[in-house]
Amino acid sequence: MSEQHILIIEDEAAIREMLLMPLNKAGFIVEQAANVREAQTLIFNRLPKLILLDWMLPGTSGLEFAYQLKKDTQTKEVPIIMLTAKGEEGDKIRGLEVGADDYVTKPFSPRELIARIKAVLRRTTKQTLTEHITVQELSLDPKEYRVLVQNKEVIMGPTEFRLLHFFMQHPERVYTRNQVLDQVWGNNVYIEERTVDVHIRRLRKALSPYGYDYLVQTVRGVGYRFSVRE
Ligand code: CA
């Protein structure tokens, strides 16, 4: 796998062109495909480090292709950022649920996209589950099962702890309620999505005396994101 090799799958040549130079400048090697068939050949020849995938493609849609990529053992580890049209909240949710790692809404600036690419690449570099995680002054110790801010323990329930642990391992990425349920509670069909909201509220309450409740952000119409950006 090439270190910084990115594949853009987008039928609009103007968008591919717009991205080419800024991505090169940021140190990425870029390959381009105008449709899924072209992309499959390129992926077969060389597995990219990350895929930028347009939602609206002629023939096989971006969503369908994301689903195929995430099912295939050869390609399932390759992060995908979906390029979606404005205001299609339902699309974002479906994109995330088939396994896309993030999305950007058109029109976007190359700079914004590059920031997202870097965040996704950082996040998808594997961490061990017992590793101590620190975000600003907030630190979580999975072994001791404790959350600290400047050596003071932040008191929270076990579910809030698991929720925070999950979020801290996956910063800057939006998750739907359903995904949070799967990741934090496991595939328990008897738990309703609004349970997530309840525990999110408790987690924020636990963090708020330290001013860190802002890290747990609501993304309207989609779900939640753990982010240091206000
Ligand atoms: Ca398109």
Side-chain angles (χ1 to χ4, degrees):
M1 197 191 297
S2 161
E3 263 312 282
Q4 301 287 356
H5 169 217
I6 288 182
L7 173 62
I8 306 175
I9 310 169
E10 164 66 78
D11 58 315
E12 280 173 70
I15 294 179
R16 298 199 308 267
E17 291 304 313
M18 171 189 91
L19 294 175
L20 193 55
M21 195 127 79
L23 284 171
N24 283 337
K25 270 196 181 153
F28 298 108
I29 300 157
V30 181
E31 283 196 311
Q32 306 178 32
N35 55 52
V36 165
R37 194 183 302 211
E38 283 180 26
Q40 281 167 325
T41 309
L42 291 170
I43 291 168
F44 183 78
N45 289 336
R46 178 158 71 159
L47 197 64
K49 184 81 177 169
L50 183 140
I51 295 172
L52 299 174
L53 179 56
D54 181 32
W55 186 278
M56 298 290 284
L57 288 169
T60 309
S61 75
L63 179 71
E64 165 101 53
F65 192 46
Y67 179 68
Q68 288 174 16
L69 290 168
K70 290 296 179 184
K71 257 194 346 194
D72 187 332
T73 49
Q74 294 292 314
T75 52
K76 69 177 182 191
E77 303 285 341
V78 180
I80 299 172
I81 298 180
M82 301 286 304
L83 312 178
T84 68
K86 196 171 181 153
E88 291 172 343
E89 303 294 346
D91 284 358
K92 289 170 193 168
I93 292 176
R94 282 188 291 155
L96 293 171
E97 287 190 335
V98 298
D101 296 86
D102 203 352
Y103 59 83
V104 288
T105 306
K106 292 177 183 176
F108 53 81
S109 67
R111 207 171 136 184
E112 179 192 354
L113 181 67
I114 288 167
R116 294 293 191 86
I117 290 171
K118 287 182 175 167
V120 167
L121 290 176
R122 263 199 307 277
R123 191 167 66 221
T124 49
T125 309
K126 288 225 171 80
Q127 273 182 329
T128 61
L129 283 174
T130 52
E131 209 171 298
H132 205 107
I133 311 172
T134 301
V135 173
Q136 295 174 356
E137 306 253 334
L138 182 69
S139 86
L140 184 144
D141 184 341
K143 271 179 277 185
E144 289 193 18
Y145 216 76
R146 290 207 303 177
V147 180
L148 300 171
V149 176
Q150 293 178 327
N151 291 323
K152 273 167 75 182
E153 187 165 1
V154 183
I155 305 299
M156 64 181 69
T159 304
E160 287 71 41
F161 181 89
R162 289 208 310 277
L163 197 53
L164 182 63
H165 190 198
F166 169 70
F167 277 137
M168 288 178 85
Q169 288 172 290
H170 303 88
E172 308 299 333
R173 185 221 199 268
V174 186
Y175 289 91
T176 66
R177 286 172 176 77
N178 204 12
Q179 288 176 315
V180 174
L181 274 180
D182 282 356
Q183 298 282 342
V184 177
W185 278 262
N187 289 307
N188 190 335
V189 291
Y190 300 109
I191 293 177
E192 290 178 56
E193 288 194 1
R194 67 173 172 227
T195 307
V196 177
D197 302 333
V198 172
H199 289 281
I200 290 275
R201 269 201 298 277
R202 288 185 194 160
L203 176 59
R204 283 182 181 142
K205 207 174 160 192
L207 295 173
S208 81
Y210 307 91
Y212 284 128
D213 48 320
Y214 84 93
L215 294 169
V216 183
Q217 300 173 1
T218 300
V219 180
R220 198 180 299 239
V222 183
Y224 295 104
R225 161 159 58 199
F226 185 85
S227 173
V228 294
R229 288 177 286 176
E230 290 188 63

